[in-house]
Amino acid sequence: MDTEELIRKCKAITLDGEEADQIIFKGQMKEKGSRAIAGCLVGKILLARGVNREGLKVALHQAWRTVSDFKIESLGSNIFMFKFSLEADKKRVLNGGPWHFDRAFIVLQEPSGIGSIKKQSFSRASFWIQIHNVPLMCMDASIIRELGSRVGKVEDIGTDAQGECFGEYVRIRVSVNITKPLKKIIVLKQEGEEDIPMPVVYERLPDFCYSCGCIGHQFRGCKEYRDQKKEELPFGPWPKAISLADRTKLNRSRGKGSREHERSKEDAADSESAETSNPVLPSLNPGQQNGPTQNQNNKEDDTTEYGWKWNTWERGVKTSM
């Protein structure tokens, strides 16, 4: 029996002369409660089936890699409480998202109010977004903050070592209302000039609905889906952007592969040189004397060819209007 059903049944019971026990929550009681949840986060996993607590704990221990251990307790309906020993671990997890489990999105937040589970909205999540095709004159921190506010509540702006924002695109961390369709484009208007479309893509974006553009369900289970073909839906995979961390890993992988390729070519050249300068002497049959033979003098150069293969991976980002 879930909590809501239990509450309904208890409220339905009335006995003559019975009064409900009441506790006034204030003062020291409230202070102790605030300290108890200070190191906590609550999270909801947007998955239709139930989530196993132990499986979730193993996955998150591997993903979060906290300095100190943390506890996980189930609160029902795929809602979990995460208790951290260190405030630094808590902040790193909260700011390091978004996080996924079994391809499902985890909505993480600090408990609001008194911590009543029923009143936790789980309606917002933070993402690093990329806005492309931004004119150079708009790559100013104050203008970028204004652009980001069209997507959600701005939390941070990506800058270089000098605090500037120039680049192929601008990066902004925003808190997004996941109950509404993802913003996919911002249009910059100018007097007497053509409008400039600026596509918006999201780093580490989980699976979302291609029909309504909301996170938390797939298009086949969406009330707005009308049996269209997948390619006819208004959304697709293109709002998913490769993150800065993944891009760095990709560049390192490419650099490592290039260095290995060069070393392989150098080794092959060294081997060819060694075989040319030190030809292999033929083995002697019993009774044969040392010295060159006709077969040796006519021996063809037996150079070994070195083949080399390497694999790389790449996620493409396709923007569409």
Coordinates of all heavy atoms in Angstrom, one line a residue, residues 63 140 308:
A63 N 29.6 6.1 -10.9 CA 29.4 7.3 -11.7 C 29.9 8.5 -10.9 O 30.6 9.4 -11.4 CB 28.0 7.5 -12.1
D140 N 29.3 38.5 -25.7 CA 29.6 39.3 -24.4 C 28.8 38.6 -23.3 O 27.7 38.1 -23.5 CB 29.1 40.7 -24.6 CG 29.2 41.5 -23.3 OD1 30.4 42.0 -23.0 OD2 28.2 41.7 -22.6
W308 N 48.8 -1.4 -40.0 CA 48.4 -0.7 -38.7 C 46.9 -0.3 -38.8 O 46.5 0.2 -39.8 CB 49.3 0.5 -38.5 CG 49.0 1.3 -37.3 CD1 49.5 1.0 -36.1 CD2 48.2 2.4 -37.2 NE1 49.0 1.9 -35.2 CE2 48.3 2.8 -35.8 CE3 47.5 3.2 -38.1 CZ2 47.6 3.9 -35.3 CZ3 46.8 4.3 -37.6 CH2 46.9 4.7 -36.3

